[in-house]
Amino acid sequence: MAKNIRDEFERWETSILKKTLSKAAEREPVFKTTSHIALKRLYTPLDTADLDYCDDFGFPGEFPFTRGVQPTMYRGRLWTMRQYAGFATPEETNKRYKYLLEHGQTGLSVAFDLPTQIGYDSDHPLSVGEVGKVGVAIDTLKDMEILFDGIPLDKVSTSMTINATAAILLTMYLAMAEKQGVKSDVLQGTIQNDILKEYAARGTYIYPPLESMRIVTDIFAFCKNHVPRWNTISISGYHMREAGCTAVQEVAFTIADGIAYVEAAIRAGLDVDSFASRLAFFFCCHNTFIEEIAKFRAARRLWAKIMKERFKAKRDESCMLRFHTQTAGCSLTAQQPDNNVVRVAFQALAAVLGGTQSLHTNSRDEAYALPTEDSVRLALRTQQLIAYESGVADLIDPLGGSYAVEALTGEIEKRSMEYIEKIETMGGAIKAIESGYIQEEIAESAYQYQKEIEAKKRIIVGLNQFQVEEQPLKDILRIKPEVEQYQKQKLARVKKERDNAKVREALAVLKRAAEGTDNVVPPILEAVKVYATLGEISDTLRDVFGEYRER
Amino acid sequence: MARKIRVLIAKPGLDGHDRGAKVIARALRDAGMEVIYTGIRQTPEQIASAAIQEDVDVVGLSSLSGAHNNLFPKVVQILKEKKAEDILVFGGGIIPVEDIPALKKAGIREIFQPGASTEDIIQYIRENVKTT
């Protein structure tokens, strides 16, 4: 007769294990993940005995998508290698895009500078010193035309990290594509358009939450009819994780935000199955390898259940959590920057083992500045090594069924759900953000993390242990101060050459739509086509919606 | 008995990455200082006014967007114009090493680089602020 696992486990614990522990204690009394989950020494079939294969894991491409969202996963097509890039002028960034595509990148990802993200033109007083610094400066359709010059938009998908001004940048992209002769129904890409997490972390909001949510749902409605293959939102845990929250909090806060968007869209009159399949997600991949893999699997299962059970989605596609991953910027160290290459490789591998749809790998020099051409190529090569040499892309969800991975997947799902239920009792994500709850949770975790590092309870190689005497990294990317002047001159030229009467008329139409209940996206599209500036469009909406101030 | 050191932690410019600023604010508070955090998106004028109004000994500026060369010196300059040059100004964030000499020349007394510990910053403030 087969031996009983429980009896055998107890025998092992009391005989073999006990003998070893009596001679030498383990390194720590308790081993915990970043989410404070106390890890067992060993996971066995006993830890997964309660799980039902068909209900809890299922098969790839099927509800609840624990094992992946596509039936063939990377055997069919590799994840999209999508390096987030943008700096200085559209002219310079266009060159970087062509460089990345030449080296085998398969999708584009646009980083905009802060004035563009917050709705100020390059000549605004608050833009001084910020133009072109953290991304590319876009003032008018003219800049968008330069940014994508010579890039085949019918072949390359484009992701844009843009939130408060997402409607403006999306419509500029559509108008520019039309000029290139590419129809909007073939365009593929993503706008981040996740304003809620901007109040919780990173802070590129303009308008108050409710008015911002109206723009978000207007975009959903517009894209459903005009840009059907576009991901209308990328519900992002990345920035909250970078601001310091744990893996469990990342899943919980992201999905709580996701619930708020679905509710808002349903309230705006949209049928859940008409937009849910265009919702995408964006997560961070940090250092703790197994916890991160489990996190992605847990998020997929949790979202699938919420969509089906709570929102009564009928289509499987509506329940599918598709996501982009970026390795953790906050894990990079300025000390011994070559160590970052190794960190990023492990994080990227975890993202792939977790089933990501697209991936950005950070560069070794990003604790100093935006990456140089050489370092971004090495980051891209890291993905290519995983894809073509490691073999992990040749089978589906290879860690599925691991006792530890499945147990942690279940634990993360359970703990995330507890957070989500708590947020529900507060009235949902918007209320939890307005009350500062989510911000406080993030700040508390960030502080604890820093204290652990300083107390050496958490070892960061090269930072608090294994240090060397070293010189700071040289040869980092610098944004020339002339960029600001160049953008301002170009903007002045556009304003001089355009038909200003048409601009005034377009902005007046937009204002009326904003004051009423009409969808604001079509009038924004008309305004960008006549070269109204990003700042002018944002100011028009500021007049109607007001501005949000941090509490 | 020495009075408590008063610190203003501020985020100049459009950058919203406030993890570092909040961690420092909390650490200084835990070290017994009185700390005011401005929140994000402050102009140099707002920061200088808040520093004077709150009668602080120290201003800590945090920026990760690369706008420090424009924004940090302006804070010092306005403090000087308002006859508050006795307030110690230090900074931190993503700041290339080669920018540090010019920032120091402009009156930012110390720049803390990525990887600096909160202990370093607490110690620096204690050594450089007179509280008697």
Side-chain angles (χ1 to χ4, degrees):
Chain A
M1 206 178 93
K3 286 180 182 170
N4 179 296
I5 297 173
R6 191 176 301 278
D7 293 346
E8 282 295 294
F9 183 61
E10 277 167 18
R11 180 198 52 74
W12 173 78
E13 270 192 320
T14 49
S15 56
I16 306 284
L17 175 68
K18 204 171 165 191
K19 210 155 89 191
T20 300
L21 287 178
S22 70
K23 282 188 219 143
E26 291 173 321
R27 285 185 289 116
E28 302 286 341
V30 189
F31 290 85
K32 283 188 174 175
T33 70
T34 64
S35 308
H36 317 295
I37 299 171
L39 290 168
K40 290 189 182 180
R41 177 177 296 114
L42 180 78
Y43 289 85
T44 69
L46 299 172
D47 297 294
T48 54
D50 293 342
L51 295 167
D52 178 89
Y53 184 85
C54 294
D55 287 349
D56 295 310
F57 307 152
F59 292 93
E62 264 181 14
F63 187 89
F65 303 103
T66 312
R67 308 210 60 184
V69 293
Q70 287 116 10
T72 57
M73 286 303 290
Y74 310 132
R75 287 165 66 99
R77 194 176 67 81
L78 291 166
W79 62 91
T80 304
M81 299 181 192
R82 194 188 290 287
Q83 297 295 99
Y84 182 44
F87 58 94
T89 60
E91 288 84 347
E92 277 189 72
T93 301
N94 176 265
K95 275 189 215 150
R96 176 65 69 92
Y97 290 168
K98 287 176 176 163
Y99 173 87
L100 286 165
L101 291 169
E102 271 165 31
H103 284 88
Q105 170 163 289
T106 51
L108 293 173
S109 174
V110 187
F112 297 101
D113 71 359
L114 284 166
T116 306
Q117 295 186 52
I118 306 176
Y120 298 120
D121 288 334
S122 295
D123 60 0
H124 192 282
L126 290 176
S127 302
V128 174
E130 308 271 15
V131 176
K133 286 282 162 59
V134 303
V136 60
I138 301 290
D139 293 313
T140 68
L141 175 58
K142 178 85 190 158
D143 290 322
M144 199 60 122
E145 290 162 14
I146 298 165
L147 186 63
F148 287 95
D149 182 53
I151 292 170
L153 299 179
D154 50 343
K155 295 189 182 71
V156 176
S157 66
T158 302
S159 170
M160 293 191 268
T161 296
I162 198 71
N163 297 280
T165 54
I168 304 171
L169 276 302
L170 171 67
T171 51
M172 282 184 184
Y173 191 83
L174 300 180
M176 175 271 303
E178 191 183 300
K179 288 194 159 190
Q180 279 197 15
V182 182
K183 291 215 172 75
S184 63
D185 59 355
V186 301
L187 290 175
Q188 288 196 66
T190 307
I191 42 172
Q192 198 161 74
N193 197 26
D194 171 10
I195 199 67
L196 288 179
K197 62 94 174 55
E198 295 295 331
Y199 303 104
R202 203 173 69 130
T204 70
Y205 45 72
I206 305 177
Y207 320 108
L210 287 179
E211 287 74 10
S212 297
M213 289 299 273
R214 176 204 166 170
I215 304 176
V216 170
T217 50
D218 278 357
I219 291 172
F220 288 0
F222 174 85
C223 289
K224 178 168 72 76
N225 299 325
H226 298 92
V227 210
R229 299 175 77 189
W230 199 267
N231 298 313
T232 51
I233 192 167
S234 173
I235 306 162
S236 304
Y238 186 84
H239 315 82
M240 295 188 278
R241 188 71 186 278
E242 284 287 292
C245 78
T246 68
V248 163
Q249 289 171 330
E250 182 188 6
V251 172
F253 299 159
T254 308
I255 290 189
D257 285 351
I259 291 170
Y261 290 118
V262 174
E263 283 179 339
I266 291 172
R267 253 199 318 274
L270 300 175
D271 174 64
V272 65
D273 284 302
S274 77
F275 67 87
S277 66
R278 297 324 304 167
L279 307 176
F281 288 80
F282 173 24
F283 291 112
C284 182
C285 197
H286 213 292
N287 288 332
T288 45
F289 193 73
I290 300 295
E291 183 182 39
E292 291 299 302
I293 295 166
K295 176 187 81 180
F296 298 122
R297 301 173 84 253
R300 263 198 304 271
R301 187 158 72 204
L302 186 52
W303 182 249
K305 287 185 192 165
I306 288 170
M307 290 308 288
K308 192 167 187 172
E309 290 161 14
R310 175 171 178 164
F311 293 112
K312 313 288 176 220
K314 288 179 197 72
R315 295 169 59 210
D316 250 13
E317 293 93 316
S318 304
C319 305
M320 208 186 260
L321 182 146
R322 296 172 297 123
F323 68 101
H324 172 70
T325 306
Q326 178 166 346
T327 58
C330 64
S331 73
L332 302 177
T333 59
Q335 295 72 25
Q336 302 177 40
D338 284 343
N339 294 349
N340 292 329
V341 178
V342 185
R343 274 186 194 107
V344 166
F346 286 132
Q347 294 167 7
L349 182 60
V352 170
L353 291 170
T356 196
Q357 276 57 65
S358 59
L359 180 60
H360 166 103
T361 32
N362 290 325
S363 297
R364 60 190 280 279
D365 47 357
E366 288 189 74
Y368 287 88
L370 298 185
T372 62
E373 241 177 32
D374 285 346
S375 60
V376 76
R377 188 176 61 197
L378 179 55
L380 176 61
R381 292 288 180 258
T382 305
Q383 294 197 38
Q384 291 161 336
L385 285 162
I386 295 171
Y388 297 102
E389 296 188 16
S390 78
V392 298
D394 300 344
L395 69 176
I396 300 168
D397 189 30
L399 296 190
S402 147
Y403 308 125
V405 169
E406 296 300 357
L408 274 176
T409 301
E411 190 63 29
I412 291 171
E413 184 187 359
K414 188 178 119 228
R415 290 182 186 221
S416 302
M417 199 58 212
E418 285 165 9
Y419 256 116
I420 291 168
E421 280 163 2
K422 189 168 179 189
I423 291 167
E424 287 297 312
T425 63
M426 296 175 182
I430 300 176
K431 286 277 186 293
I433 288 165
E434 283 176 341
S435 74
Y437 168 75
I438 289 180
Q439 296 88 316
E440 281 156 24
E441 284 285 307
I442 295 170
E444 176 64 27
S445 294
Y447 189 56
Q448 293 311 326
Y449 188 85
Q450 180 65 25
K451 283 215 307 200
E452 285 167 23
I453 291 174
E454 294 191 13
K456 290 201 179 189
K457 283 183 185 154
R458 183 180 294 282
I459 299 302
I460 307 293
V461 174
L463 178 73
N464 61 2
Q465 212 167 64
F466 314 113
Q467 299 101 317
V468 292
E469 285 295 319
E470 61 184 321
Q471 290 298 312
L473 196 68
K474 295 263 162 46
D475 302 323
I476 58 171
L477 184 92
R478 310 273 325 192
I479 308 298
K480 295 187 197 84
E482 299 88 278
V483 163
E484 193 162 312
Q485 204 47 39
Y486 180 82
Q487 272 305 114
K488 281 158 86 170
Q489 283 165 359
K490 190 167 41 170
L491 175 61
R493 244 189 345 266
V494 171
K495 280 187 177 173
K496 208 170 142 210
E497 285 164 10
R498 69 184 185 182
D499 185 337
N500 280 306
K502 278 188 180 165
V503 172
R504 278 192 299 275
E505 172 58 22
L507 293 176
V509 172
L510 171 61
K511 190 169 185 189
R512 280 197 296 279
E515 284 164 344
T517 55
D518 283 353
N519 192 316
V520 294
V521 181
I524 292 174
L525 176 61
E526 292 312 311
V528 305
K529 279 184 177 173
V530 294
Y531 294 88
T533 71
L534 170 120
E536 290 166 340
I537 296 169
S538 303
D539 280 345
T540 303
L541 296 177
R542 278 188 185 98
D543 281 349
V544 181
F545 295 153
E547 285 185 79
Y548 177 78
R549 298 261 172 254
E550 196 178 25
R551 30 162 253 136
Chain B
M1 202 183 85
R3 63 178 180 80
K4 280 187 170 183
I5 298 173
R6 287 176 66 79
V7 187
L8 182 78
I9 297 295
K11 285 286 299 171
L14 303 180
D15 175 37
H17 293 92
D18 57 2
R19 176 180 184 161
K22 284 180 171 171
V23 165
I24 301 296
R26 174 92 182 264
L28 299 183
R29 222 170 266 145
D30 283 358
M33 301 180 198
E34 279 175 25
V35 184
I36 303 123
Y37 170 52
T38 60
I40 62 169
R41 283 205 226 167
Q42 302 292 307
T43 62
E45 290 78 8
Q46 288 170 322
I47 292 166
S49 299
I52 292 165
Q53 211 171 351
E54 297 284 351
D55 193 23
V56 299
D57 306 292
V58 187
V59 174
L61 302 171
S62 162
S63 172
L64 283 73
S65 74
H68 50 270
N69 289 337
N70 282 75
L71 297 167
F72 288 9
K74 272 187 203 149
V75 175
V76 177
Q77 190 197 323
I78 299 167
L79 286 174
K80 203 178 269 175
E81 284 164 15
K82 297 194 174 183
K83 308 262 179 282
E85 62 263 48
D86 55 321
I87 298 176
L88 181 149
V89 179
F90 73 95
I94 303 285
I95 295 167
V97 184
E98 54 263 46
D99 292 355
I100 294 176
L103 290 171
K104 285 197 170 167
K105 211 171 156 205
I108 293 96
R109 296 265 296 277
E110 191 57 81
I111 295 288
F112 291 94
Q113 295 282 103
S117 75
T118 58
E119 267 313 309
D120 296 341
I121 296 167
I122 292 165
Q123 200 185 340
Y124 171 80
I125 294 175
R126 283 193 179 137
E127 282 171 5
N128 288 278
V129 175
K130 293 187 197 79
T131 52
T132 47

